[in-house]
Amino acid sequence: MNIKELNANLSVSEQILPSDISELAKRGVRTLICNRPDGEGADQPLFTEIEKAATEHGIQCHYLPVITGKVGDAEAAAFGELLLKQNGPFHAYCRSGMRSTTLWALSQAKQLPLTEIVAAAKAAGYDMSGVAARIAGKSGEIDTLRSYDVVIVGGGAAGISTAASLLARNNALSIAIIDPAEKHYYQPGWTLVGAGIFTPEQTMREMASLIPKGADWIKAAVAAFDPDSNIVTLEGCRLIKYTRLIVAAGIKLNWDGIEGLSETIGRNGVTSNYRYDLAPYTWELVRNLKGGRALFTQPPMPIKCAGAPQKAMYLSGDHWYKNQDINNINIEFYNAGAVLFGVADYVPALMEYVEKYQADLKFNHKLVRIDGDNKTAYFETTAADGSTEIVSREFDMIHVCPPQTAPDFIRSSPLVDAAGWVDVDQCTLRHKRYNNIWALGDVCNAPNAKTAAAARVQAPIVAANIIADIKGTHQVAHYNGYGSCPLTVERGKIVLAEFGYGGKLLPSMPKWILDGTKPTRAAWLLKEKLLPPIYWQGMLKGKEWLVNPVMSDEA
């Protein structure tokens, strides 16, 4: 926790953890203000978790969430009202501290000279130059930070990989990667963390260590897009201009989409491998459960790594099976969809493990509410005639996959389709309306599986297409929808699902080496031993292993 003081009565910081509360209490903080909406980041604890820890230390909590770049006058006034009416000292936090500082700056516009506001923010490490123009009531264009040949929004797997692939083709390009996160996560590893195979630390690197040489890292959040002017607006009202734009902003986990989940996640036997800090809790619950009922849930599509909810079920069942507890534990899988897996070729192998672990499959059951204190989950079931009803089920542990959407700043932008995803041609990944914009990874609306393997293939294709566009050729590389889902059916064996658009099987290896429709040891070794270094040392470094974009004339 990096605490920065704006004045003697107010400090700000990036996201805090429940374990940080004791330090804030020692510093005398009496009121805590959260300015970050739940679900912005995969490593973000919920406000209710922070509030619980703060209450135990006698600290008052207030939830004043602000979407990145959407700091309005009403929110600023509410922030100022808290400073006036509640007991200080205060501590406010968001993802980086920028939103909290902006709220403070706007709230003090009539109390302090503008120079003092800007100076205090600068001393704390926050650039309020854009906000200063807003406070002063200036009109016209705000100063632009810089212009780039290519701006990439998002420093996840898709964004960094595309930057590296572009620079491998043309190292003279000026490229900026915009992302406020300090940490980068290998999220496919969290399934193995939840099974006690990986440690959380194995799945994390410092963002600064991964930015490709030759690219600039702009550590800020995006507020808005102006595609007609080729401008990206950052928090603090700063502007970045681009010639070409790549949107790789990932996906938002909507923890609040299930009633009661935010209040109980991480305790009462409620866990999820979809969050960095909760995957170890999954393993704790699994290894301590000797009898009772274990529920595993999957929400409506789209979600990232659609096999992850059942991977948690298989690996948990394998542990209980090998420890001879399986007959004492009732495993139930609640799927909002109608099938176990979307590509039928892989279902027979999966069903063998469903039967082995004696799992009860419940289709058309969507988790809508959790009562953690009473360890009861509520599901909306849909009958063949379309009618619905709510059914309840008690549990001893439950692994939850939250519903997912595009990030808020994406959904409110002019780049999206009616469902809120960036609207691209599914073959070229070029935007359907703006010719100098491309998108890839989880945020785009191409109908492929949202997996890291998909981004691994998409990145070189986008890079090749942008280079072709720069050169003015009429050739493009086409994406076939490739995605991969290593279904960890037991410790030591995996059903390696590889497929493209329409469920077409797209195996990377000959069947005599690895038959992906059957559980194999070879696929497990690939997942555990080979894929992590391929990710860190290959994909993120622009090494396009197993990918060869083929250029052809545009249709």
Side-chain angles (χ1 to χ4, degrees):
M1 177 176 58
N2 187 13
I3 299 175
K4 299 176 181 179
E5 292 188 355
L6 294 177
N7 56 44
N9 201 41
L10 174 64
S11 59
V12 297
S13 73
E14 77 279 24
Q15 174 70 54
I16 65 173
L17 303 174
S19 57
D20 294 326
I21 297 297
S22 58
E23 176 62 24
L24 292 175
K26 290 178 183 177
R27 293 172 65 93
V29 171
R30 298 177 67 187
T31 299
L32 187 64
I33 305 173
C34 172
N35 300 128
R36 188 181 189 189
D38 283 339
E40 272 194 343
D43 60 338
Q44 175 188 357
L46 299 169
F47 172 71
T48 51
E49 297 173 74
I50 300 294
E51 183 179 40
K52 182 176 182 294
T55 301
E56 292 173 356
H57 285 80
I59 298 176
Q60 289 286 323
C61 285
H62 296 273
Y63 186 52
L64 184 60
V66 178
I67 295 173
T68 297
K70 304 295 184 183
V71 181
D73 293 339
E75 289 88 351
F79 189 91
E81 194 76 2
L82 288 174
L83 298 182
L84 285 174
K85 295 188 175 180
Q86 302 301 317
N87 295 320
F90 298 83
H91 182 80
Y93 71 91
C94 54
R95 175 160 43 190
S96 64
M98 185 67 173
R99 268 170 284 183
S100 298
T101 303
T102 302
L103 285 164
W104 168 78
L106 293 173
S107 73
Q108 301 304 300
K110 295 181 180 179
Q111 282 76 42
L112 296 174
L114 182 55
T115 52
E116 288 187 20
I117 294 173
V118 174
K122 184 176 181 181
Y126 298 101
D127 180 7
M128 290 288 109
S129 57
V131 176
R134 178 174 167 182
I135 292 173
K138 293 179 180 178
S139 60
E141 184 180 23
I142 303 171
D143 289 340
T144 302
L145 284 181
R146 189 174 169 184
S147 296
Y148 289 88
D149 295 326
V150 181
V151 167
I152 301 174
V153 175
I160 289 180
S161 299
T162 308
S165 287
L166 278 168
L167 289 167
R169 288 170 167 80
N170 183 350
N171 61 13
L173 290 173
S174 62
I175 297 177
I177 300 173
I178 305 175
D179 197 304
E182 294 185 354
K183 312 290 184 184
H184 179 104
Y185 297 98
Y186 176 58
Q187 296 183 30
W190 292 349
T191 292
L192 299 185
V193 174
I197 298 162
F198 283 0
T199 64
E201 292 74 19
Q202 287 176 270
T203 69
M204 186 271 290
R205 298 283 191 279
E206 296 294 327
M207 181 72 83
S209 70
L210 300 175
I211 301 298
K213 183 179 179 180
D216 289 347
W217 175 28
I218 299 176
K219 187 182 173 185
V222 170
F225 298 89
D226 184 354
D228 293 320
S229 301
N230 299 331
I231 286 174
V232 173
T233 303
L234 306 180
E235 59 181 356
C237 302
R238 296 171 294 164
L239 304 183
I240 299 291
K241 288 190 174 182
Y242 60 82
T243 302
R244 290 168 180 83
L245 175 69
I246 300 171
V247 183
I251 201 166
K252 174 185 175 180
L253 304 179
N254 184 18
W255 300 98
D256 290 328
I258 299 169
E259 182 183 349
L261 178 59
S262 298
E263 291 76 20
T264 194
I265 190 75
R267 60 190 184 92
N268 294 325
V270 183
T271 189
S272 178
N273 289 343
Y274 275 79
R275 221 174 76 184
Y276 172 81
D277 61 322
L278 290 178
Y281 183 50
T282 300
W283 176 232
E284 177 186 332
L285 292 173
V286 169
R287 69 175 186 266
N288 290 333
L289 189 65
K290 305 300 179 184
R293 182 179 293 121
L295 309 184
F296 298 84
T297 75
Q298 179 170 313
M301 295 296 174
I303 61 172
K304 59 180 174 180
C305 193
Q310 58 184 289
K311 292 180 193 181
M313 174 182 69
Y314 297 134
L315 286 174
S316 300
D318 178 61
H319 176 80
W320 296 323
Y321 183 88
K322 290 175 178 175
N323 284 272
Q324 301 182 342
D325 294 318
I326 196 71
N327 291 329
N328 302 319
I329 298 173
N330 296 321
I331 300 175
E332 299 175 5
F333 185 64
Y334 288 81
N335 188 345
V339 295
L340 181 62
F341 195 72
V343 182
D345 298 74
Y346 301 103
V347 172
L350 300 178
M351 284 303 302
E352 291 181 12
Y353 284 89
V354 169
E355 293 167 5
K356 178 180 179 179
Y357 304 137
Q358 304 170 44
D360 186 6
L361 302 181
K362 306 283 190 181
F363 297 116
N364 301 309
H365 280 65
K366 182 175 72 173
L367 180 65
V368 293
R369 179 187 167 208
I370 289 185
D371 181 347
D373 292 333
N374 292 304
K375 290 196 168 185
T376 303
Y378 296 85
F379 299 88
E380 180 184 270
T381 68
T382 304
D385 62 0
S387 61
T388 62
E389 66 172 320
I390 302 296
V391 298
S392 63
R393 196 67 165 155
E394 294 179 353
F395 60 82
D396 293 282
M397 73 161 280
I398 181 171
H399 178 275
V400 177
C401 174
Q404 296 164 37
T405 67
D408 294 336
F409 74 95
I410 294 293
R411 288 187 292 125
S412 62
S413 78
L415 305 181
V416 298
D417 62 11
W421 305 94
V422 180
D423 195 15
V424 300
D425 178 275
Q426 69 178 42
C427 294
T428 64
L429 303 178
R430 194 174 200 165
H431 200 277
K432 290 181 179 178
R433 300 187 303 280
Y434 301 103
N435 287 333
N436 63 338
I437 297 177
W438 287 258
L440 73 159
D442 295 345
V443 78
C444 73
N445 67 352
N448 61 282
K450 295 183 183 296
T451 66
R456 177 175 60 83
V457 174
Q458 291 171 344
I461 289 172
V462 169
N465 286 342
I466 287 178
I467 294 299
D469 187 60
I470 292 172
K471 292 179 177 179
T473 70
H474 295 288
Q475 289 196 319
V476 294
H478 289 84
Y479 173 56
N480 61 3
Y482 176 86
S484 175
C485 185
L487 292 150
T488 48
V489 289
E490 64 174 283
R491 186 166 182 154
K493 287 188 178 180
I494 278 176
V495 173
L496 182 59
E498 295 180 282
F499 50 92
Y501 290 139
K504 180 181 179 181
L505 300 193
L506 297 173
S508 299
M509 304 178 192
K511 186 174 286 190
W512 62 270
I513 295 178
L514 195 159
D515 184 353
T517 64
K518 300 182 184 303
T520 65
R521 175 71 177 167
W524 177 271
L525 293 174
L526 180 70
K527 167 78 172 178
E528 182 187 19
K529 302 297 185 182
L530 298 180
L531 287 183
I534 286 174
Y535 181 83
W536 297 115
Q537 304 304 325
M539 177 177 170
L540 299 187
K541 302 294 184 182
K543 306 289 193 301
E544 298 169 8
W545 299 330
L546 302 178
V547 184
N548 182 28
V550 176
M551 308 303 292
S552 61
D553 291 334
E554 290 187 76

